[in-house]
Each structure stands twice: as C-alpha cells, then as structure tokens.
Amino acid sequence: MKNPVFTGAGVAIITPMYEDGSINFDELGRIIEDQIAHHTDAIIICGTTGECSTMTDEEQLAAIKYTVDVVNHRVPVIAGAGSNDTDHGCALAAKSAECGADALLMVTPYYNKTTQAGLVAHFTAMAEAGGIPVIMYNVPSRTGLNIAPETALELSKHPLINGIKEASGNISQVAKIAQLCGDELNIYSGNDDQVVPLLALGGKGVISVVSNVKPELVHNCCKAFFDGDTAKARELQLEMLPLAGALFCEVNPIPVKYAMNVLGWEAGECRLPLVEPSEAHKEYIEKALRAEGLITE
C-alpha cells in the first residue's frame, strides 16, 4: 500500500506575473499564505495552471524553491516537472527534488507522444532521476496521449510512482484504474466537476483550479466525503459547478488568472500565446464569482 502524497484539495496554483512578464514572487507568497489559511491541503506549483510551459527551467526551479521555502513543510509541495523530452524531464525532476519538493507532477509526453511501452520507459526514467514520489498527469485533451489503465497498473509497480492525476474526464477509465491498481496508485481528480465521482471510486482528492479562488469550498467538499457526509460532499460539488464552468470557459489558466485579478490579487496577464478572455467571458467569470459571494459590491 502506498500512502498518498496528500489527501483532499491541492491547489494547482497560478504564477502571478508583473507587467513585463517576470514572476511576481511577493504576490506568489501572499497567495500561498492565503491558500494555507483557507485549508488547502497541498500546493502544486508549476503545473499547467502555473504556466510552466512558457517558463525557462531557471524560472521554474526558482518558483519551486520559493514555494518550498514559503510553505516550510506546512502542507506538501508538488512540483510540475514533466517534459516531452525524457532527458530534459529527468534533469528537471532531479533539480526539482533538490529544491525540496515533496513530490513531482509529471505529464505525459505531448506532441511527439509515444506508445504505451514508451510511457512506461518515460515515467520510470523520470521517477528514478527525481528519487521522490511521482504523480503522473493524464490529460489527453492537451497532450493527445492517454495513459491506458493497464499501463497505469504496470507503472504502479514502481515504488516511486505514487499516484495519477486523472483529467481524461472518462469515469469508466478511472474505475478501471482503481480496479486494477487498488492501493498501489493513488487517484486524484484533474477536473473540478468530477471530484466526488472520483472520491467515490477510492480517489484521494483533487488537484484543483477552483481552489485558487475559493480553496475552502474544494477542501470542505473533500473533507465532507472523507468524514462520511456524502450528502454534504454532493451539495458542495454541485455548488462548485458554476465556478468550474466559468474557470474553464477558455483555455486554463486564462479564466482563473483573470478571476484572481478581479478578486484583487496582482495575478497579472498570462504569457503568450495565452491572451485575455473575451469580453463576454469576462462577464461570465465575474457573474460566477458574484454568485459565489466572492464579489460583493
């Protein structure tokens, strides 16, 4: 049995940036403190939501090290360290582990893709280079590549491959992974609209975008489920849906970064090729924030 890296709601945290596009570390620190104060169960830094794909390695490692130092062991820190180049991913994994991350989040190879046998070789090499627990990230809509349940089973045999962030949206696939892997692979939802369904299949939590704007909502949803109050968990899951819809109305993290700016954080703009949301979507996002009581004026 592999103990999960965390249970509950981990925030896929944004990376705030100045007008010139450089990382606003002071604001990142403030956001981290606010997340911990509102009961976030883990910080996931430099994931998709953190815009790792447009960061240099130096920026990415600086953000990871800064987060580790600010968090100071209060909650687990999971560092995005994946790549579609296995050698590059291995180097990034080793350096992220040296920064003090508790675990690594590793996406499947994108664009060049690979076979299922290639996935086994890819994740095995990166896990061994990092030397700390790994959560695989399965998001076929972005990568064009799916981790098959049988491949997840093979990878779960590796002592360092601890979990999978499942963002395929395919509940049947998640059920098959749970059935095959049991306690050898911890499952986390990668979709805020499917938290409770995944927990019902034995999942350990969610890596959440919604947690950026309302961490206590997602934390409380998971806690209610684990406490046996499934009615409350269901109620909070359904409450989450309008926010999830708004925060995914355009490519993540465009909407959530806009939402954080609206809420008074100095999130800044996304780096190109991501641009501001459309005017219609700005109104949609603001309406969802207002309905949730996050905007009161």
Side-chain angles (χ1 to χ4, degrees):
M1 178 177 178
K2 289 176 182 169
N3 293 325
V5 173
F6 73 96
T7 56
V11 60
I13 204 164
I14 66 161
T15 303
M17 294 173 183
Y18 291 111
E19 283 187 20
D20 66 0
S22 61
I23 297 172
N24 185 340
F25 285 102
D26 289 342
E27 193 69 354
L28 176 59
R30 285 189 285 272
I31 294 170
I32 289 168
E33 291 297 346
D34 184 74
Q35 286 288 320
I36 293 173
H38 288 93
H39 310 299
T40 281
D41 298 295
I43 306 286
I44 294 84
I45 184 72
C46 294
T48 305
T49 313
E51 298 180 77
C52 62
S53 57
T54 50
M55 286 184 183
T56 65
D57 285 1
E58 291 73 23
E59 286 176 316
Q60 195 164 334
L61 293 166
I64 293 166
K65 181 69 167 66
Y66 180 85
T67 301
V68 166
D69 290 346
V70 170
V71 171
N72 193 24
H73 306 291
R74 288 176 289 172
V75 296
V77 174
I78 297 104
S83 176
N84 65 336
D85 170 359
T86 307
D87 283 348
H88 179 220
C90 287
L92 203 52
K95 290 173 183 174
S96 299
E98 287 171 13
C99 289
D102 296 289
L104 303 170
L105 180 67
M106 294 180 166
V107 72
T108 54
Y110 37 87
Y111 188 70
N112 51 354
K113 301 163 61 174
T114 187
T115 60
Q116 295 297 304
L119 282 177
V120 173
H122 177 74
F123 282 115
T124 299
M126 292 196 303
E128 291 177 356
I132 60 175
V134 165
I135 299 172
M136 301 179 291
Y137 181 17
N138 191 37
V139 58
S141 65
R142 283 185 180 267
T143 64
L145 179 62
N146 182 56
I147 301 174
E150 294 76 13
T151 304
L153 171 62
E154 184 63 28
L155 285 160
S156 74
K157 297 172 185 175
H158 195 286
L160 288 172
I161 296 178
N162 183 279
I164 186 167
K165 176 185 175 184
E166 244 298 333
S168 67
N170 184 341
I171 294 295
S172 296
Q173 172 165 291
V174 175
K176 185 67 175 177
I177 292 169
Q179 185 255 322
L180 287 175
C181 300
D183 290 334
E184 289 306 302
L185 197 67
N186 300 298
I187 302 172
Y188 298 94
S189 177
N191 298 94
D192 282 296
D193 60 352
Q194 294 183 350
V195 180
V196 171
L198 263 77
L199 296 182
L201 289 169
K204 298 302 192 294
V206 57
I207 295 177
S208 170
V209 174
V210 170
S211 284
N212 280 278
V213 300
K214 197 161 187 182
E216 64 273 27
L217 172 61
V218 192
H219 166 84
N220 290 343
C221 177
C222 294
K223 185 177 187 301
F225 186 91
F226 293 135
D227 287 347
D229 191 347
T230 52
K232 182 68 173 177
R234 181 176 66 247
E235 176 189 322
L236 295 175
Q237 172 72 92
L238 296 177
E239 180 183 338
M240 216 184 295
L241 289 184
L243 276 179
L247 296 183
F248 287 91
C249 67
E250 292 189 18
V251 174
N252 179 48
I254 290 171
V256 70
K257 225 165 178 192
Y258 177 75
M260 292 290 278
N261 282 316
V262 169
L263 295 177
W265 298 101
E266 295 176 14
E269 295 183 0
C270 295
R271 289 180 175 178
L272 289 171
L274 304 185
V275 296
E276 284 266 290
S278 70
E279 290 304 315
H281 282 151
K282 286 179 180 179
E283 288 181 19
Y284 176 30
I285 294 162
E286 290 175 31
K287 182 180 178 182
L289 295 174
R290 196 170 286 110
E292 193 54 40
L294 293 166
I295 304 174
T296 53
E297 75 274 11

